[in-house]
Amino acid sequence: MISRKALLLRLALICSLYFGLLYFGGIWGWRLLYPIRLFVTFLHEFGHAFGALISGGSVEYIRINPDSGGATVTRGGSQALIISGGYLGSVFFGNILVFIGAAKPKWVKPTLGVIMTILAFSGLIWFNSVFTFLTLAAFAAFLYFAGFKTRYGRDCLLVLGVLSLLYILQDTAHGPSSDLQAFEMEIGLFPAGIWMVLWLSLALILAAVNLKVLMRSPRPPDRN
């Protein structure tokens, strides 16, 4: 298990690398972060799909675009859960990856197996384009190599989780505008801008609670 000091150092290193590549990496920084953007897009679209499934709906397809955009088409289910599942689902999944990567080493391979299964199912059953299929297949292959052929499966989950959360929270500056507008039309009560503040607040609270739990969890020194 990762010690508190080692965890903080890793988090600081991941954040530093992310913002360094983002703001000072130029075209190479953009290229290195491109897979992360695609992964976050998948988490977002899968969040929509998951919202449909748990509310009794079905998924027609998931599409990931080369420009890192995406789309999910569903039938039935709760529109409120489906719409909010994109942003809030991404936050939830990202926090799970961070928690398991930091505190649950025995869960790493099973978690990677679940993610690979979801990627394979989405790529084979729900895909809507060749790019989507190839992207999800590449992610599944990478996770298999990192988790089952090296010792870095835990670090892989931690990096993917942290970078996903950073990207999601940073994207709030622009906001998932189409989701917010659809949510405003579906639920009402508040304008889209207020819903964005509420979603962002919930995202920050979840991340803060997750970090607090990780800092409190007793663990032996990291020997890796």
Side-chain angles (χ1 to χ4, degrees):
M1 302 177 79
I2 303 176
S3 66
R4 295 182 183 89
K5 182 179 179 180
L7 176 59
L8 288 174
L9 287 174
R10 291 185 192 200
L11 292 177
L13 177 60
I14 293 169
C15 292
S16 298
L17 286 174
Y18 172 77
F19 288 112
L21 289 172
L22 182 66
Y23 292 111
F24 306 107
I27 186 62
W28 285 105
W30 186 92
R31 289 173 177 172
L32 289 171
L33 291 176
Y34 182 64
I36 296 298
R37 288 194 294 275
L38 294 180
F39 185 78
V40 173
T41 297
F42 173 73
L43 286 184
H44 181 94
E45 301 307 329
F46 180 74
H48 288 312
F50 188 72
L53 294 176
I54 64 174
S55 60
S58 61
V59 180
E60 292 293 308
Y61 67 78
I62 287 177
R63 184 177 70 240
I64 300 174
N65 300 326
D67 64 357
S68 71
T72 300
V73 173
T74 62
R75 290 185 180 273
S78 167
Q79 288 303 303
L81 279 176
I82 294 170
I83 296 167
S84 61
Y87 185 88
L88 297 180
S90 298
V91 172
F92 180 72
F93 297 139
N95 274 294
I96 288 178
L97 296 183
V98 172
F99 181 78
I100 293 175
K104 298 294 181 180
K106 293 183 179 180
W107 296 6
V108 169
K109 286 187 177 181
T111 300
L112 288 170
V114 170
I115 298 173
M116 288 163 54
T117 301
I118 291 172
L119 289 166
F121 183 88
S122 301
L124 293 172
I125 306 300
W126 291 339
F127 82 98
N128 182 251
S129 68
V130 173
F131 183 81
T132 300
F133 171 77
L134 293 176
T135 297
L136 299 184
F139 279 135
F142 171 76
L143 292 178
Y144 174 76
F145 176 78
F148 296 89
K149 297 299 182 180
T150 76
R151 298 175 55 193
Y152 300 109
R154 181 182 67 181
D155 296 301
C156 180
L157 288 183
L158 188 60
V159 169
L160 287 176
V162 171
L163 293 185
S164 296
L165 289 174
L166 287 176
Y167 190 86
I168 292 164
L169 295 176
Q170 186 188 27
D171 192 51
T172 303
H174 306 285
S177 56
S178 59
D179 288 351
L180 288 167
Q181 292 168 5
F183 197 76
E184 179 186 358
M185 293 179 63
E186 179 69 24
I187 302 299
L189 297 179
F190 307 116
I194 299 299
W195 282 117
M196 184 68 262
V197 172
L198 294 174
W199 286 8
L200 175 60
S201 299
L202 181 56
L204 292 172
I205 290 171
L206 286 175
V209 170
N210 194 21
L211 183 59
K212 185 175 182 180
V213 170
L214 289 173
M215 290 298 101
R216 284 185 173 181
S217 298
R219 62 195 68 196
D222 188 12
R223 293 182 174 86
N224 292 335

